[in-house]
Each structure stands twice: as C-alpha cells, then as structure tokens.
C-alpha cells in the first residue's frame, strides 16, 4: 500500500516536459533511445521508487537490477523520514531559533534572536541587545555577523553583514527586520586546513546519522566547499565529495551540481582525493552526540564546521537531501549506499 501511495503521489507531481528533457540528457550521454529511457524511468519508479530526477542524477541507466536495489531513492528517503522522524517535532529543525536553543551546547558561538515588526517585543531593549552583541564581535576582531532567516533552507537568505556600515543598532535592527532575519550569529572562523580547501566560505561536513532506538550510527559523511562565493551549498555553486568514515579522508574527486568533476579545487588548487579533514574523530563523535539529544527525530543530516578549537554545529536537517549520496563520480562501481542504511537499522 505504501508503494502504491508513493506512485500515485508521484504521478500527480509529474512534469512531463522535464521528464522529456531528462530523458534526452540520458539518451545523449548513453546513446540509448530517448523513449526507451523514459520507459526505464517509469520502471525504476515502480520497482525502486526512484523519481525521474533520481534516474538522471544517479545515472541509473548504467546500473543493473542488483545495483539499482542499493540506491537510496526519493521514495526510500521519504520512508526513512517517516519512520524515524516524529512530524510533530520537525519544527525544531526548521526554525533556527528553536534549533539553536535545543542544540546550544554544540554551537560554540554566540547568537541573538531577531524579532519581526509584528512581534510583541520591546524594540529599544532588543536594539540594546543587538548593540551588545555587535560590540562583542568587534572586541573579538570580527567585522561581520551572520544574518539568517528563521526557516530558510539551502543557504538562501543568509547574509554577511558589517555592523559598522549602519549608523546605530536601531538602523541595523530595522534592516534585519526588513529582510526577514530570524537570528544573527557570531561569524565562524574555520580551521586552517579547511581554508586550504577554500577560504572564502565555511566548508561544512554533512554528517548523516540514524538513531535507531538508542543505537546511533554515522551512516555517511560528505564534505561541501564553496567555489567563488560565500556559501558552500551544493545547489548554490558549491562542490561536494564523500568522506571515508574510518579515516576522515576525502574519497573521491569533487563534483558540482552540473556534474562537472574536479580533481583539484578550481580556486585553491588543493587536490581532493586523499585530503585529510582535521579533527575527524571529534567531528564524528559530535554528530553522534547531537543525534542523542532528540531521539524522536532519528534521521538527521548534521552540518558541522571545523574551527581551530574543534567542530561546531551549523544546522541540522530533519529531511536530509538524498540527492547528494550517490552521484556517479562517487559510485564508481554503480552501487548505492542503501547497505549502509540497512546496517544502521539492524
């Protein structure tokens, strides 16, 4: 019944123009007939709960049935979320102020909630708090603060702000309200080794955990880096590759959202494959410790940055994006990562 519901929901959402476009892309790279590709897309949707975007993104045309069974597809990812994550508690991860309150011991930085104009808050008092917050950052030698929307995703709406550019805290507070800011945070200073990858963004580790009744597993880890911008998000121009869970070394060349493969970072020249992430054991331990805080939300993608003092939690994702798990350059044997999830669920 679950599979039938998934198929019905996907049928309602289908964009046939996009299906044709993706089928043509697969046909161009594989030499297979476009309409046979579309039929195979449909079969993979029925058999493996793979969306047509899954099919193109993971290059499922190259995989046989044994290999295809190992992919975490959209339908399977939805099931993992439904199984492990209490829907009534997911708001804690969506709303950044609630998240920061819940996981404050993992942040290792200061932050301040910004109230909207409609809120019943003392504007003068809140401006005073903002002035104190900015003064603390200035004293620490930091000229910028990080402004985030309360419920933004994928780095959207995040802005680096120089408080010195505003005449006073009242003007800055009004600007923050106008742009829909939910909170401001202290700027993270990352580890020098992470700067070797790319120094102009905070390069984060996506650490995916499953809390299965108290048994906590780090299932997969990814390293994301900026590439010419201030954010490392994969869908906003960043690069990404997988991490070896045992050693903390980068396993493969990096890839961008257009499936362009990079042996070296195009800006810094750093070679990806074999790069040793700093403080890896502490990062893995921190992700597992965070996963123990709210066991009712047991399937989470944690984003950690690495500073000279250790790992710091940036955010948690209660609906981890499975599209990053199995990109073709990171699955050279055509097998997906579902066995890693199955081991965590034993």
């Amino acid at each position: 019944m679950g599979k039938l519901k998934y198929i019905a929901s996907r049928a309602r959402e289908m964009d046939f123009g996009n299906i044709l476009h993706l089928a043509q892309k697969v046909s161009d790279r594989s030499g297979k007939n476009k309409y046979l590709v579309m039929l195979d897309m449909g079969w993979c949707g029925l058999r493996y709960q793979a969306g047509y975007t899954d099919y193109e993104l993971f290059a499922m045309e190259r995989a046989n049935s044994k290999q295809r069974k190992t992919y975490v597809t959209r339908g399977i990812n939805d099931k993992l979320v439904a199984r492990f994550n209490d829907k009534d508690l997911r708001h804690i991860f969506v709303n950044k102020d609630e998240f920061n309150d819940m996981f404050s011991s993992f942040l290792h930085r200061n932050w301040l909630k910004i109230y909207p104009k409609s809120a019943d808050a003392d504007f003068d008092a809140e401006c005073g708090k903002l002035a104190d917050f900015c003064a603390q950052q200035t004293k620490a030698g930091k000229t910028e603060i990080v402004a985030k929307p309360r419920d933004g995703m994928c780095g959207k709406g995040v802005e680096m702000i120089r408080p010195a550019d505003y005449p006073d805290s009242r003007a800055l507070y009004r600007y923050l309200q106008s742009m829909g800011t939910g909170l401001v945070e202290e700027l993270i200073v990352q580890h020098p080794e992470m700067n070797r990858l790319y120094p102009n963004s905070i390069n984060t580790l996506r650490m995916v955990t499953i809390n299965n009744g108290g048994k906590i597993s780090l299932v997969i880890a990814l390293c994301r880096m900026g590439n010419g911008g201030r954010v490392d998000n994969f869908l906003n121009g960043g690069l990404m590759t997988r991490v070896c869970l045992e050693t903390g070394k980068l396993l493969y060349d990096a890839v961008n959202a257009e499936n362009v493969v990079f042996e070296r970072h195009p800006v810094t020249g750093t070679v990806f494959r074999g790069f040793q992430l700093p403080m890896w054991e502490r990062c893995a331990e921190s992700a597992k410790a965070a996963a123990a805080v709210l066991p009712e939300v047991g399937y989470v993608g944690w984003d950690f940055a690495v500073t000279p003092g250790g790992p710091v939690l940036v955010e948690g994702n209660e609906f981890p994006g499975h599209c990053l798990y199995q990109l073709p350059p990171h699955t050279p044997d055509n097998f997906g990562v579902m066995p890693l999830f199955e081991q965590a669920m034993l």
Side-chain angles (χ1 to χ4, degrees):
M1 182 60 70
K3 184 178 290 189
L4 290 175
K5 286 183 177 180
Y6 171 77
I7 293 169
S9 67
R10 292 297 293 130
R12 290 193 295 270
E13 298 172 4
M14 279 185 178
D15 179 343
F16 288 97
N18 194 36
I19 293 174
L20 282 169
H21 170 69
L22 294 177
Q24 186 64 61
K25 284 183 66 176
V26 173
S27 176
D28 291 343
R29 74 189 181 202
S30 67
K32 296 182 178 181
N33 180 276
K34 176 175 68 174
Y35 298 103
L36 292 179
V37 169
M38 291 178 66
L39 287 174
D40 198 34
M41 283 180 168
W43 166 247
C44 285
L46 291 170
R47 180 67 180 85
Y48 309 110
Q49 300 178 60
Y52 47 88
T53 52
D54 289 346
Y55 186 99
E56 187 278 328
L57 187 64
F58 302 151
M60 293 182 73
E61 78 278 1
R62 66 187 177 142
N64 59 36
S65 59
K66 182 179 179 180
Q67 294 164 333
R68 287 173 171 181
K69 288 179 182 177
T70 67
Y71 281 84
V72 178
T73 60
R74 174 173 173 173
I76 291 173
N77 196 59
D78 288 351
K79 284 185 175 180
L80 290 171
V81 171
R83 172 178 172 179
F84 288 103
N85 295 350
D86 186 332
K87 62 182 180 180
D88 292 330
L89 294 175
R90 294 180 196 171
H91 63 89
I92 294 173
F93 289 79
V94 174
N95 299 325
K96 289 182 171 57
D97 55 335
E98 293 185 67
F99 179 85
N100 281 11
D101 278 332
M102 176 68 70
F103 296 96
S104 59
S105 62
F106 298 91
L107 300 181
H108 302 293
R109 63 189 180 281
N110 295 319
W111 65 282
L112 179 69
K113 183 173 180 177
I114 302 297
Y115 291 90
K117 290 182 179 180
S118 59
D120 183 18
D122 186 324
F123 182 75
D124 290 335
E126 295 305 319
C127 288
K129 292 178 185 178
L130 180 61
D132 291 342
F133 176 85
C134 293
Q136 290 173 3
Q137 306 316 305
T138 301
K139 186 176 181 180
K142 298 180 179 180
T143 60
E144 293 181 316
I145 59 175
V146 184
K148 296 181 177 181
R150 185 173 189 248
D151 56 357
M153 298 175 61
C154 301
K156 293 179 180 178
V158 176
E159 184 175 343
M160 308 298 178
I161 293 178
R162 287 173 47 87
D165 291 341
Y166 297 83
D168 53 36
S169 62
R170 296 174 66 86
L172 175 54
Y173 208 102
R174 289 194 181 97
Y175 173 73
L176 294 170
Q177 287 178 326
S178 71
M179 63 177 285
T181 298
L183 68 160
V184 292
E185 292 183 346
E186 178 182 355
L187 189 70
I188 294 171
V189 177
Q190 70 183 354
H191 195 284
E193 282 298 294
M194 299 302 286
N195 279 333
R196 285 185 55 214
L197 288 172
Y198 180 70
N200 298 326
S201 73
I202 300 302
N203 309 312
T204 57
L205 306 180
R206 168 60 62 88
M207 320 273 278
V208 181
T209 59
I210 285 184
N211 186 337
N212 186 19
K215 174 194 171 186
I216 299 173
S217 302
L218 176 57
V219 182
I220 191 169
L222 310 164
C223 180
R224 303 181 303 182
M225 299 142 282
N227 181 24
R230 295 294 301 271
V231 297
D232 69 339
N233 188 270
F234 182 66
L235 299 179
N236 286 327
L239 306 176
M240 189 274 296
T241 188
R242 278 181 58 188
V243 179
C244 175
L245 297 184
E246 287 72 32
T247 65
K249 293 183 177 181
L250 303 187
L251 282 169
Y252 305 107
D253 297 339
V255 65
N256 67 11
E258 287 74 44
N259 286 319
V260 178
V261 178
F262 298 86
E263 178 184 348
R264 298 171 177 267
H265 196 287
V267 175
T268 64
T270 299
V271 175
F272 293 117
R273 192 184 297 242
F275 181 90
Q276 178 65 61
L277 296 171
M279 302 186 183
W280 170 249
E281 290 186 2
R282 289 180 62 182
C283 293
E285 291 169 0
S286 295
K288 292 180 180 179
V293 172
L294 191 65
E296 295 87 354
V297 183
Y299 172 38
V300 179
W302 308 96
D303 292 341
F304 276 88
V306 189
T307 74
V312 300
L313 181 58
V314 177
E315 66 179 18
N317 300 269
E318 89 297 347
F319 207 111
H322 73 291
C323 62
L324 302 180
Y325 297 161
Q326 301 140 146
L327 298 177
H330 306 155
T331 53
D333 56 1
N334 296 350
F335 282 91
V337 299
M338 191 61 200
L340 302 178
F341 284 82
E342 290 171 340
Q343 184 64 32
M345 293 184 288
L346 291 177

